[in-house]
Amino acid sequence: MPRLVRRLLACATAATLWGGALAGAAVTAGTVVTATPAAALDNGLALTPPMGFNDWNAFGCDVSEQLIEQTADYFVSSGLKDAGYTYVNIDDCWMTHTRDADGRLVPDPVKFPDGIKGTADYVHSKGLKLGIYEDAGTATCAGYPGSLGHETTDAQTFADWGIDYLKYDNCNNNSDGTREDYVRRYTAMRDALAATGRPIVYSLCEWGVNEPWEWAGDVGNSWRTTGDINDSWNSMLSIAKANMPLASAAGPGRWNDPDMLEVGNGGMTDTEYRTHFSLWSMMNSPLLIGTDLRKATPETLAILGNKDVIALDQDKLGAQATVLSSDGDKYVLTKKLANGERAVALFNAGDQAQRIATTARAAGLPKRGSYSVRDLWSHTDYESAGGLSATVPAHGTVLLRVGTNPAAVLKAPLFDTGVTGPDHIEPGNSASISTYATDLGTLPAAEVKVKLTAPDGWSLRAKGGTGTLLLPGGRTFSTPWTVGVPADAQPGSYPVSGTVSYRSLTSGKTLTVPLIGSVTVKVPPPSGTSYLSDLPWTSSTNGWGPVERDRSNGETGASDGNPITLGGTVYTKGLGVHAPSSISYYLGGKCSTVTATVGVDDEKNGKGSVEFTVTADGTTVADSGVVTNPMGGKPITADVTGAQNVTLAVSDGGDGNDSDHADWADAKLTCS
């Protein structure tokens, strides 16, 4: 569902931001708004990004005093408080639908029998702080009273209750859409909070509509930079990519906020959640837990409680990470730290394991003969001569802290390990792959041993030695292998992985590091004409929820769309997507033509504009041009003769992806 529409639907908001007590002159309609980051709000708050909890992602409107108090208890008992989590924040739906006779907001007496003041007192008794939610419009996103025109009363009410943090949303705002109006509404609450004299962190939640990173630095302590996050890889990835370029706006007391954490809610793997947490910490994002901590798994708590990673987010310098390099789905992010060290994230956004590399010098450190390297997820210290590289699993992130400590030479050498091989193997065939282990340190490693495993039913045989007594620094040990794929193997990516062990000559300790690799099995389409929705794709991305087969895009779940409909015509077959989207198929050089009828699904009722393209082995072979919802269906034909791979992509048409439910109706592939 499009970002803005979701915000305007009852109970469809998902933000969790930060409110505050802010000082400064009111902004009037005639204020000139600059395009450069504003100075930091001088309220002495949020000098590092706020950390805490927000109930919305896991509970929606089902918030209660009991939930908030139990969460506060768990912060203490689980060690999350000691890890830095401070704010226990209430989101929408906490109040009644009408104000009292004095115009004050009224807590729902069923949900909060002791009132917000009583809840605040309990949270404060645990050494924690309480946050609350309101809206810079006439009503909240769930339809409760908003603060527009009531800023002074509401700010004083929050102060009287003992509130420490305010998330201020943007629904039902009666806005004329201008930046001046947004600045005026949010500044009104800033000044009202400041007038109370109570320190309240102020979090703007206007979804990045009017580029708040350009003006909100002296209005709030943080500002949402994107639409709502949901618990899916595609949502998290698209938001991270949108937030990455905004580093120059962030600093102590003023933070870019790409929305709250989804870690632990079940829609992503633990590998993806570690990436989510890594990127949010590298980007100095507010870290607000959005899961039911009372049911959190040990894996979830290990991610949320990783003090090595949290330290990056909470670093006193407050420098948001920047993108050092990007190559397709491979990213290197670097972050300057207060003690002169650098954090380096090797981030793999792709669907296959990939080697990602940089150097300590490229990360901004001075030239040295040796560098200290700490892996923040394995909590292991290494030494490197300067190289920083790893084979990173699909959707994974290797997170390193790198410095110039001369004592690092006494640590075990950092190793770069991985598996290389062909682009793919077809079922029933075999191919050669190779494992490698590179000593990135200055000193040799001893007793290097390689172990590799393949999926059940596959064959695997080493064609060379699997160990060496001594591996000098800067040298690589490789082993060739033959891997055989069963004839009945289904298309997909399969792990071919293992371990590399070696002994440090300085400490005498033996270390074991993962050996990560994968083999992709691809099956060419059958001869004749097939519907693409009946064929397996090799990869897919989607701007909202999963790609749907024979249905429109729908929401975040699978198979929740409607019948594909373009211009009043209903299609029983096809692919439903939401821009930006891409779907790739393996052709094996055996196909000739892709055909479809494309357009924005009728369910968007006149809204939405997209552009469809078909690329064969990286070359565009068909382009629909911009297609709008009122245009209905448009035929598209692509010549893919001889191509190994084909990709069906949809972009947002240049105006953002609001309402961009796009259909590849009746999509067919003809092969020999």
Side-chain angles (χ1 to χ4, degrees), residues 432-445:
S432 294
I433 61 174
S434 180
T435 58
Y436 66 86
T438 301
D439 182 344
L440 296 177
T442 57
L443 298 178

Side-chain angles (χ1 to χ4, degrees), residues 235-248:
S235 173
M236 188 278 292
L237 178 60
S238 65
I239 285 176
K241 288 181 177 180
N243 197 66
M244 286 178 190
L246 306 178
S248 63

